[in-house]
């Protein structure tokens, strides 16, 4: 996503409601000179990319975010990582750029993904990359998948 697309999406996420081109334009014009058609094109591009949905309102559209800023950030990280010819080296370099607070946030995220059986780490070794040629430890899966709340109400899952 380019700088202008990011500026537009920031407003859509911040306002957390369907927005018009005019609303986004007026807010962006507080910072820069920009044309209505430019904002309209950016929102249309974001719609084509699947980041916003739109509903007609008269002769205009109202645009609304499809997912969260966190999901967008995760998508960017995944795209960047998947383009690397050496994903492990890319992760090591990325971890090296992190502050201690960011590494602790990463540890917390890993514990959440691994589930409640994960123990509190004893030190920074949790972020260590396994030596080349070694296999990562097996990850135990939960005995039963979590129940879908919808299926508890309606056996058909509707």
């Amino acid at each position: 996503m380019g700088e202008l697309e990011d500026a537009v999406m920031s407003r859509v996420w911040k306002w957390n409601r369907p927005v018009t081109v005019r609303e986004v334009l007026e807010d962006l014009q507080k910072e820069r000179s920009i044309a209505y058609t430019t904002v309209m094109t950016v929102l249309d591009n974001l719609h084509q990319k699947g980041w916003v949905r739109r509903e007609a309102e008269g002769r205009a559209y109202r645009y609304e975010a499809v997912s969260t800023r966190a999901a967008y950030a995760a998508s960017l990280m995944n795209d960047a990582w998947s383009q690397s010819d050496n994903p492990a080296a890319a992760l090591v370099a990325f971890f090296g750029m992190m502050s201690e607070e960011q590494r602790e946030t990463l540890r917390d995220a890993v514990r959440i993904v691994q589930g409640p059986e994960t123990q509190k780490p004893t030190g920074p070794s949790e972020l260590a990359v396994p030596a080349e040629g070694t296999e990562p430890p097996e990850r135990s899966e939960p005995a039963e998948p979590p129940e879908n709340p919808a299926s508890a109400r309606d056996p058909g899952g509707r």
Side-chain angles (χ1 to χ4, degrees):
M1 193 178 293
E3 181 184 337
L4 186 53
E5 287 179 326
D6 189 49
V8 170
M9 280 306 300
S10 290
R11 281 146 179 90
V12 174
W13 282 316
K14 180 176 76 173
W15 295 333
N16 197 27
R17 61 172 173 77
V19 300
T20 64
V21 172
R22 176 80 46 208
E23 290 173 309
V24 175
L25 171 71
E26 289 173 359
D27 200 57
L28 285 171
Q29 284 179 331
K30 294 174 186 175
E31 300 170 3
R32 63 177 94 177
S33 176
I34 190 166
Y36 180 93
T37 53
T38 302
V39 177
M40 184 175 63
T41 299
V42 168
L43 280 163
D44 185 59
N45 289 342
L46 290 167
H47 177 257
Q48 296 299 321
K49 291 178 179 182
W51 286 107
V52 295
R53 65 177 146 258
R54 65 185 182 193
E55 285 193 32
E57 183 176 279
R59 294 182 351 175
Y61 287 109
R62 282 205 174 265
Y63 295 86
E64 185 175 20
V66 170
S67 63
T68 64
R69 183 185 288 271
Y72 168 68
S75 176
L76 286 179
M77 289 186 284
N78 187 55
D79 288 348
W81 188 46
S82 67
Q83 292 174 20
S84 173
D85 60 347
N86 187 340
L91 284 175
V92 169
F94 180 61
F95 296 157
M97 294 176 192
M98 293 176 146
S99 68
E100 183 53 40
E101 183 179 330
Q102 289 170 320
R103 283 191 290 272
E104 185 58 37
T105 300
L106 176 62
R107 288 182 196 103
D108 292 343
V110 168
R111 283 192 293 274
I112 289 167
V113 169
Q114 289 178 337
E117 71 277 355
T118 304
Q119 300 276 328
K120 176 92 174 142
T122 57
S125 63
E126 183 175 308
L127 290 181
V129 175
E132 196 167 317
T134 63
E135 292 296 317
E138 290 292 319
R139 186 174 146 201
S140 62
E141 297 297 325
E144 295 179 27
E147 183 178 324
N148 178 347
S151 64
R153 290 189 307 271
D154 178 3
R158 286 169 262 153

